Amino acid sequence: MTTEYPSRPPRYLRPALAVARHYTDAAHRASHEPFDHSLDLLPHTALSRRYGWSHHGLMLPNLPDPHRYLSLMVMCGTTGLQAFDFPHEAAPDDPQDIIVASASSGAENAHAREVLSIERDGRFTRDHAEFGTLATISGTHPDFEIRLHAGDLDARVTMRCRPETTWFVRSPVWRHIGHVGRYEGEVTHRGVVTPVSGVGNLEYARSVSPYVVLRRASRRRLPLQWFSYHVVDVPGERQILFTQLGAFGAIVETNVIFRSMDGTPDRKVHGGYHRVLETDDAPTVDAYGNARLVPRTFEFGCDGMTVVGTYDCPQRFAIGRGYISGYTAKVTLDGEEFATRGYSEHIDERGAQHTSGPPRRPDTVRP
């Protein structure tokens, strides 16, 4: 059965969304200029007190078997958003001192999700970020090195990024970038070494949070209920980035960004659609006992572009209350049709069945 959110946000939200659109459009204009090095690898706790959370991520959508994709997803701090927080994971006296980090590929037992402390488990400078034993990111734009260790997976890749970064948001309260670059390295799984290379995405963000003011854990959160983010590998060292957010029972934002390594400016499209065409037959249960029907086949697109994806990797409980995975993709782009691979982050809180959750702040969660 096809499922799709209503496409119009509530009327009372539209003025706020118009302001947000102003800043995302300003960010897109900044994407046409060389990166000004205004963001580095420091977490929000090392910066102005107005920031409440920060994010680091690596998304490689097209790797050889058995991996098929490679991901690092790090959220530092508590966002105050329903889709991303488990309030019981944060320390009650300081909800900003938390790292939820995951790394995975599509190979067997190539996955870990860890709940850590920034103060106790992190090591940070402007050109180095260390998240326990799970991952490190080192370097400054345009050159980075990323190392991962998760289950039976070890990976090391270096990335040389293009001069222009992709700005998703650039505002006084939220700044979010995605470096696109050529990567190469190797992924080791149970003693088998696989050389990897291609075009990948390296992200950093920092934003405000209600916990900057509260300074304590709370179960009250903004009702962001739907989040779907995709990185699709396109022939010719190009990528498609698709983002859709849902709250208050409706879609509040959809964006598509087309970018490449050849110097062509990013092209951004406001609007688009996402449809779940088929779900798994039985619910998937996360590490905390919350059950969800996760997508099996889906479609998203906009004018001139359609992507039909089918997951062929395990769904990894890895981002907020949702899942990360890789998929085969059939793409139609400006009349061209081709098969490729994609990477997804998908959270759907609309029909989730929640339990009360475990005791506060487990040291490590490895579903």
Side-chain angles (χ1 to χ4, degrees):
M1 181 178 66
T2 300
T3 60
E4 186 176 5
Y5 249 143
S7 60
R8 292 283 289 172
R11 186 178 299 276
Y12 61 86
L13 282 181
R14 293 174 194 172
L17 294 175
V19 173
R21 176 71 59 83
H22 165 77
Y23 283 111
T24 59
D25 286 347
H28 181 62
R29 291 191 292 271
S31 302
H32 297 170
E33 303 170 359
F35 182 52
D36 61 7
H37 294 267
S38 61
L39 297 183
D40 46 44
L41 298 180
L42 290 174
H44 61 285
T45 51
L47 302 165
S48 166
R49 288 176 62 87
R50 74 173 178 268
Y51 295 113
W53 61 270
S54 47
H55 156 62
H56 302 76
L58 175 71
M59 303 87 179
L60 309 184
N62 195 352
L63 266 64
D65 288 340
H67 299 285
R68 301 183 179 179
Y69 78 94
L70 185 67
S71 167
L72 170 67
M73 171 54 60
V74 180
M75 299 293 289
C76 300
T78 305
T79 68
L81 302 171
Q82 178 182 342
F84 284 94
D85 293 341
F86 285 97
H88 52 261
E89 288 187 328
D93 58 338
D94 188 359
Q96 291 187 295
D97 181 31
I98 181 174
I99 301 171
V100 181
S102 70
S104 66
S105 82
E108 185 177 359
N109 197 38
H111 173 226
R113 179 185 185 271
E114 299 186 357
V115 181
L116 308 167
S117 160
I118 295 173
E119 182 177 351
R120 185 181 66 243
D121 304 306
R123 302 290 184 272
F124 299 97
T125 63
R126 292 190 178 279
D127 61 357
H128 183 80
E130 186 174 326
F131 312 101
T133 61
L134 186 136
T136 61
I137 304 173
S138 301
T140 57
H141 183 272
D143 295 303
F144 295 93
E145 180 182 73
I146 302 94
R147 293 177 178 266
L148 308 178
H149 172 71
D152 293 336
L153 171 75
D154 288 282
R156 182 192 65 83
V157 297
T158 58
M159 181 177 289
R160 166 61 65 91
C161 302
R162 71 178 189 186
E164 305 84 11
T165 196
T166 297
W167 282 90
F168 299 109
V169 183
R170 189 177 188 179
S171 78
V173 297
W174 182 10
R175 301 168 75 82
H176 193 160
I177 59 173
H179 297 299
V180 59
R182 299 183 182 96
Y183 69 86
E184 61 180 16
E186 59 185 34
V187 181
T188 302
H189 179 253
R190 297 177 175 174
V192 178
V193 179
T194 303
V196 296
S197 62
V199 174
N201 182 43
L202 181 67
E203 293 193 10
Y204 177 83
R206 57 189 184 227
S207 179
V208 298
S209 163
Y211 297 103
V212 175
V213 177
L214 291 175
R215 309 300 295 180
R216 59 180 174 80
S218 171
R219 293 186 178 274
R220 294 184 178 181
R221 291 157 289 153
L222 296 175
L224 180 66
Q225 300 153 326
W226 168 274
F227 173 79
S228 194
Y229 177 61
H230 298 259
V231 181
V232 180
D233 192 52
V234 178
E237 295 191 318
R238 297 175 290 165
Q239 285 183 342
I240 299 169
L241 307 180
F242 177 90
T243 307
Q244 188 171 79
L245 306 176
F248 301 97
I251 292 299
V252 297
E253 184 68 2
T254 304
N255 285 310
V256 185
I257 295 175
F258 302 91
R259 63 182 186 176
S260 70
M261 291 295 298
D262 66 2
T264 302
D266 289 359
R267 179 168 66 93
K268 182 177 181 179
V269 176
H270 285 303
Y273 67 93
H274 182 289
R275 301 187 186 107
V276 175
L277 304 179
E278 185 179 9
T279 64
D280 284 348
D281 296 330
T284 295
V285 181
D286 66 28
Y288 294 142
N290 302 304
R292 297 165 179 80
L293 284 172
V294 298
R296 180 183 300 165
T297 305
F298 57 91
E299 178 183 342
F300 64 83
C302 64
D303 186 30
M305 185 273 290
T306 301
V307 175
V308 178
T310 301
Y311 288 110
D312 62 353
C313 297
Q315 296 274 357
R316 308 295 196 184
F317 173 54
I319 175 172
R321 293 175 172 270
Y323 295 83
I324 284 173
S325 192
Y327 57 87
T328 61
K330 297 180 180 179
V331 180
T332 302
L333 178 60
D334 297 330
E336 177 187 6
E337 296 183 1
F338 52 89
T340 184
R341 294 202 58 83
Y343 158 93
S344 81
E345 302 167 1
H346 188 79
I347 306 172
D348 188 355
E349 280 289 283
R350 293 171 296 171
Q353 303 170 22
H354 294 300
T355 64
S356 58
R360 290 182 182 271
R361 195 61 176 275
D363 287 334
T364 302
V365 177
R366 294 180 183 273

